[in-house]
Amino acid sequence: MRDIFIGLADNGDRQVLHLGRANRHGLITGATGTGKTVTLQTLAEQFSAAGVPVFLADVKGDLAGVALPGSASAKNADSLQARAREVGLSNYTYSDNPVVFWDLYGEQGHPVRTTITEMGPLLLARLLDLNETQEGVLQIVFRYADDNALLLLDLGDLQALLAMAATQPNMFTGKYGNVTKASVGAIQRQLLSFEAQGADRFFGEPALEIDDFLLTDEKGRGFINVLAAERLMRSPKLYATFLLWLLAELFESLPEVGDPDKPTLVFFFDEAHLLFTDAPRALLEKVEQVVRLVRSKGVGVYFVTQNPLDVPERVAGQLGNRISHALRAFTPRDAKAVKAAAETFRSNPELDVRTAITELRVGEALVSTLLPDGAPSVVQRTLVAPPRSRLGPLSPGERAAIQGASPHAGKYEVAVDRESAEEVLNAKAADAAATAEEVDARGEQAAAARPRRTRTMWERAGSAAAGAAASSAATVLAAKVMGRTTRSDPVRNATTAAAGAIATGLGGAIAGRFVRNLLGGLMR
């Protein structure tokens, strides 16, 4: 099985990343404009060619070109050809890669959604910048929802439950602890601000299925999943929290594989400093845990950032493969970063690392990767190989054409709003109000004889099935009209929705989610 060719060292040695060690994670660093993005693109397309799916975030819009081949008429063609000759690529040709575009806002790719329950209170508290007391209230709300089989799917569900906590705190205080209006109000204000940024689109259904990141095409190449993150970067905390959630979902969803011959998925975490800046201790511990354990799931995580000091030591110690582009020592912190980067490499007696790291040209890097026996290689000054795909963005037409050929076309575009906490609580409130009116008008006995307006578990299951089937049928019809293929199945979706609703009524939200995922997998 072929390895990933990084480039050619000064001493003439080929610098490679061994596929069998690629799940031991990595770090790509360098100042702005030193070539990190091009290096990332070179690695991504080689992982794809080796049959390894890739996830990466396109924070500037210039990584989308990985979907199309480079061109001899491009302005950078001469420099790419020259670099290919310098590193000994005699067979250098341009080529495309299988790509799927994703976008939290659904504008430049398939919508990416998750549910409030799946995000969990810890990450949501980080996202909303809550203090310890407010996070405790959020934990109580989540626990109440779970104990009472209330699905928290979107922001409306969470807002409805918070409103209940503010007006009926006695429903929570006796069993879960004190809930104050001030804390609830602070959370509600943060949710309003969060919603104003358009982030409410991130929560809902159909939720992302992790397996959709793990596909290969008919040639055996791994799909490169590109997250359009230009707009998302305006909300850096949402960007970092989303990627951490995705990493945690991979850890929870994928089976143990130990040390495979090649990774199950390679995950590039660009602008990694956004994850760690001002992060509370609990979140840093979660990051460390996920990075440490996700390796055994076959996932390789590569943090990409300007300064190696951006990554905490307890996380950096788990990153075995390192590529460092030029660092600048303009400030005391920069000088400290240069020293830290130099000390993390396995020393090379023929190379002054601390000097070299400040003198590297664009497209040059210091490289040390894990050898087949697990030991780090001696650091080498390396010319990085050029990518074979386009350097630069896509036009809207090119992106639309690639999106139309996506294996997930039509699957995520139509949002589904099934009955969840908001609808249940509204129905209960309406039922209580109607009962109070009848007590006043007709007396308690007449009111007690009135049928309840809240639906039974079986009625909710039927409603969920009908809604899922109708949405799925609309997706299939739209796909046929537009000449696309779709994996949406009305029967499967109706069955899993109904079963999930019944399981939720019997065993809570977690049981409902488990049953839906299990049936969905069995019926594919």
Side-chain angles (χ1 to χ4, degrees), residues 337-406:
V338 169
K339 180 182 177 182
E343 291 175 347
T344 57
F345 287 113
R346 180 179 172 183
S347 63
N348 181 346
E350 299 179 359
L351 180 65
D352 182 350
V353 175
R354 292 186 63 175
T355 301
I357 205 169
T358 61
E359 297 176 346
L360 294 170
R361 296 175 292 161
V362 174
E364 235 185 340
L366 298 179
V367 174
S368 175
T369 60
L370 293 179
L371 300 171
D373 63 2
S377 65
V378 171
V379 61
Q380 296 287 358
R381 185 168 180 166
T382 303
L383 279 177
V384 178
R388 299 172 184 267
S389 52
R390 179 192 292 183
L391 286 177
L394 299 179
S395 68
E398 291 170 332
R399 183 183 289 269
I402 294 168
Q403 189 72 358
S406 166

Side-chain angles (χ1 to χ4, degrees), residues 93-117:
T93 55
Y94 298 115
S95 61
D96 62 357
N97 300 280
V99 169
V100 174
F101 292 114
W102 303 89
D103 185 356
L104 259 68
Y105 301 99
E107 297 170 348
Q108 299 190 69
H110 298 303
V112 181
R113 301 185 190 90
T114 186
T115 65
I116 293 289
T117 296

Side-chain angles (χ1 to χ4, degrees), residues 475-487:
T475 298
V476 172
L477 179 60
K480 287 183 177 180
V481 170
M482 300 181 70
R484 298 178 178 176
T485 59
T486 178
R487 296 165 62 195

Side-chain angles (χ1 to χ4, degrees), residues 214-277:
L214 308 178
L215 301 184
T216 55
D217 70 359
E218 65 281 357
K219 299 179 181 178
R221 300 178 299 174
F223 271 91
I224 300 177
N225 298 278
V226 178
L227 176 70
E230 291 177 89
R231 179 180 174 187
L232 184 59
M233 287 299 294
R234 301 173 198 166
S235 305
K237 193 163 289 187
L238 175 59
Y239 167 78
T241 306
F242 163 70
L243 291 191
L244 179 57
W245 164 80
L246 185 56
L247 201 54
E249 282 293 299
L250 288 166
F251 168 67
E252 293 175 4
S253 303
L254 297 179
E256 293 280 343
V257 295
D259 283 319
D261 292 334
K262 62 182 181 181
T264 304
L265 175 76
V266 168
F267 188 106
F268 289 100
F269 202 132
D270 202 0
E271 302 292 345
H273 66 281
L274 297 175
L275 174 61
F276 302 108
T277 302

